[in-house]
Every structure is written in C-alpha cells, then in structure tokens.
Amino acid sequence: MDAYDEGSDARHGPDAPSRPAPPGERGAPAESAGPVEPAGPAGAHPLGEPRTGVAALSLRYRIAVALALAVVAVGVCVHLGMTFLHVAPANTVTKAHGEAVDDWIYPEFEQNWKLFAPNPLQQDISIQVRAGVRGPEGMTSTTGWYDLSAEDGRAIDGNLLPSHTQQNELRRAWDFYVATHDAENRPVGLRGSLSESYLRRIMVLRLDRDDAVRAATGGAGVIERVQVRSRTSNVPPPRWSREKVSTTPSYRELPWWKVPQDEAAGGVR
C-alpha cells in the first residue's frame, strides 16, 4: 500500500501533516481544561446543602429537644404503668403502693373496668324520680315519674362526643347511694348522709331542667320534696343461649326527701 494513499488505515510519517479527524471519529481530549475535583463517596450530599429538621438546630437546642422527648416518654410510661396497676387484679405492688396509684388515677383518669376479670352488666338499671310541687295557691301536687336514665340514653345515642355528665353522673350517684345504705335504705357509715344529699341535689337539678314545676302547676311553683326509685330488669340472654331469665322489672323506692329551701330555689347551681 502506498504511503500517500488516503485510506483510514494509512500510516503517516513523523513529518506528515496531521489531518483532522472527521466529526464522528473525534475522541475525548486527553486532559480536561481545568482541575478535576476528587469524586466523593457514593450517596454523599453535595457540599453546602442546608440541613432541615432537628439537625438544623444548634447543639444547645438539640439537647433541649432530646430532654423534652425523654421527659414525655417517661411520663407516658409512668401513666401506662399506673393505669395497668389500677385495673389489674390485686398483687404485691398494688398492696404496697395502692395509695400512690389511686392518687395518680383519681379523679382525672378513673377507670371503671378490671383487667383479666371482666364482669359485664347483666342487669339494666334506670333511675327515676318524681316530685311534690307546691303551686302559687299553696296546693301540693305530685308529678309523674321522670325516667332520667332514658333521658341520658337519648342524649348519648348518636352523639360522637357525649359529656361525662351524661354518661356517668347519674349512674355513679346511684352506685354511691347503694354502697352506703343497706336494703332498708338506712345509711351505713359516715358517707350515708353525703350520698343522700348528693343524689337529692342531682334530682332537683334534673327536675328543674325538665321544667317539672311548670308541667305540674301550669305556671310558677316550688319543689318541696322528691322521691327516687330504681327500675331493674335482667338483660335478655342471646338467642343462641339456652339460659332462661325473668325480664319482669323490679323496683326499689326510696323514702320521700324534703328539699331544703335553698336547693328548691336553685341554690345548688
């Protein structure tokens, strides 16, 4: 092959003029025009990228955030532990530190259920009240029975955020009375009179809310006395159960209570 051939494989001597390569055959330059920075480790963030979140805080504030999170975590753990001990069966810890557990739970975090010992209610108890109302002419008339438990049930039904009063006030007041009185409605212990006063005041407030005086007299009047009773009926067993229970309700009527003048005039508010 002649040295002067212009084929792609022709060899040129040292003095032969260089011929620029076609555009498609040009290679990358051997050296870059500027200095080349060393490649960083894979996955590293570019230098100068701003930090976000807690990492953007100074060391002092990061320490404060860590301490605050630690305090919250300790508080949550203590609360869960106290709640567990409150609802758990009697054990060595609750016997030794039961007072401390009660001080933590009551009254804000009260729990009305027991862990590992479920005892679902098998009776439906409703609290009812009636009143003796003295009208403007001095005549006293007796109202019909107001089913206060049914009123609370209607207020709770369909309510996404029922109040604590609607759910527990009446039930707890009745439980308080029953626990401090015998079967003859005689007080047992020093809290008997307190439970009577508490239940009576709730009855007066509820009668006033239901406008019982106007319903009885057609106008003005005052509540002179109230009487409370409970209506208890067994919860029917499920259809698949062979258990047979009586669904006939039983009543427990308390004696008439005279309403003090200040309570009758709304002094219990």
Side-chain angles (χ1 to χ4, degrees):
M1 181 179 293
D2 195 283
Y4 295 98
D5 291 342
E6 296 181 358
S8 60
D9 294 335
R11 297 181 181 179
H12 302 280
D15 297 331
S18 60
R19 183 174 58 86
E25 297 180 2
R26 293 177 183 175
E31 296 181 358
S32 61
V36 179
E37 296 182 359
H45 295 286
L47 296 177
E49 181 178 344
R51 295 179 295 179
T52 60
V54 178
L57 300 175
S58 64
L59 178 60
R60 180 176 59 182
Y61 287 104
R62 278 184 285 175
I63 293 175
V65 171
L67 291 176
L69 292 176
V71 170
V72 172
V74 170
V76 171
C77 292
V78 170
H79 178 69
L80 292 178
M82 290 293 190
T83 304
F84 175 83
L85 292 174
H86 178 68
V87 301
N91 53 70
T92 305
V93 178
T94 55
K95 291 178 180 178
H97 306 286
E99 185 176 353
V101 174
D102 290 342
D103 291 341
W104 179 275
I105 293 295
Y106 294 106
E108 288 83 4
F109 309 117
E110 180 180 359
Q111 305 292 321
N112 293 322
W113 56 282
K114 294 298 181 182
L115 193 62
F116 307 128
N119 184 24
L121 293 176
Q122 298 181 0
Q123 293 180 326
D124 184 13
I125 303 175
S126 61
I127 308 304
Q128 302 173 355
V129 63
R130 63 178 177 177
V133 180
R134 177 167 50 84
E137 297 81 9
M139 299 294 294
T140 300
S141 59
T142 303
T143 68
W145 288 101
Y146 287 82
D147 194 336
L148 304 183
S149 296
E151 293 178 3
D152 286 345
R154 288 191 295 268
I156 294 172
D157 189 20
N159 189 349
L160 297 179
L161 296 173
S163 68
H164 182 77
T165 300
Q166 293 169 336
Q167 297 180 82
N168 297 316
E169 181 186 55
L170 193 60
R171 178 179 59 84
R172 295 303 306 274
W174 179 253
D175 290 344
F176 184 26
Y177 177 86
V178 172
T180 56
H181 288 73
D182 59 16
E184 302 298 328
N185 299 317
R186 293 173 298 194
V188 177
L190 299 177
R191 303 177 69 189
S193 59
L194 176 63
S195 65
E196 290 182 11
S197 176
Y198 180 57
L199 185 60
R200 185 187 66 244
R201 292 186 177 201
I202 292 177
M203 297 299 107
V204 174
L205 285 174
R206 296 293 295 269
L207 289 169
D208 181 69
R209 185 190 307 172
D210 291 337
D211 205 4
V213 172
R214 183 174 299 275
T217 63
V222 63
I223 298 177
E224 287 190 325
R225 57 179 187 165
V226 294
Q227 184 180 29
V228 183
R229 75 176 183 182
S230 66
R231 180 184 184 276
T232 304
S233 59
N234 293 320
V235 176
R239 297 179 180 178
W240 46 263
S241 176
R242 297 182 178 179
E243 183 181 4
K244 302 296 183 181
V245 297
S246 174
T247 57
T248 303
S250 61
Y251 295 88
R252 176 178 178 177
E253 288 191 1
L254 307 186
W256 283 94
W257 291 332
K258 185 177 180 180
V259 178
Q261 186 175 359
D262 59 339
E263 292 183 15
V268 296
R269 291 182 177 82

